[in-house]
Amino acid sequence: MPAEELGVLIKSAQAVLNQRMDEALRPLGLTVSQYACLQNLLDEPGITGSELARRTFVSRQSANVLLQGLERRGLIERSDDPGPRRERAIALTAEAKQLVATARDEVAAVVTRMTAPLDGARLRTLLSELAACRDALLQND
């Protein structure tokens, strides 16, 4: 069944992509989840912990554990005052901003390797089709 094959292929591609990203990020002392967390904090300052958990594909509790580790490492700082949602604001340190810039380059190299067989038109089509598949699954949520 082609639909079933598609699901297996997407999961397989995701697993290999995660493995390659992990290999690229390991020398920087980051996991894929830590990188995703830092990248989201950089891209959207003031993001809530709940939204951060959703965007990094982990539970709220796992996101808190990630943040605690990043804080111990000196990569994030939390304000002492709770914000309007009773969550303490999280900010990246200067060290974290430099680390994310380097990590983004490493991840971009992995994605470039993954998409090398595709010309621009095929890549745009793939992006569009995968977005349509995702959106179809999100309907009625």
Side-chain angles (χ1 to χ4, degrees), residues 35 38-39 42 92 95-105:
Y35 165 71
L38 292 172
Q39 179 212 324
L42 181 65
L92 296 183
E95 178 186 353
K97 289 176 183 176
Q98 290 176 337
L99 185 60
V100 171
T102 302
R104 278 186 167 168
D105 290 342

Side-chain angles (χ1 to χ4, degrees), residues 39-116:
Q39 179 212 324
N40 276 284
L41 288 168
L42 181 65
D43 290 345
E44 193 168 333
I47 189 172
T48 66
S50 297
E51 182 61 22
L52 185 62
R54 276 190 290 281
R55 290 186 186 189
T56 55
F57 307 105
V58 298
S59 68
R60 178 84 166 94
Q61 182 179 1
S62 293
N64 281 331
V65 171
L66 270 174
L67 291 170
Q68 289 168 3
L70 294 171
E71 188 173 24
R72 280 192 300 275
R73 243 181 103 179
L75 297 174
I76 65 165
E77 298 171 338
R78 298 191 208 210
S79 71
D80 291 330
D81 301 321
R85 295 183 185 153
R86 299 179 58 196
E87 294 189 33
R88 294 168 40 201
I90 303 164
L92 296 183
T93 63
E95 178 186 353
K97 289 176 183 176
Q98 290 176 337
L99 185 60
V100 171
T102 302
R104 278 186 167 168
D105 290 342
E106 295 298 322
V107 169
V110 171
V111 173
T112 298
R113 178 180 170 194
M114 178 180 71
T115 59

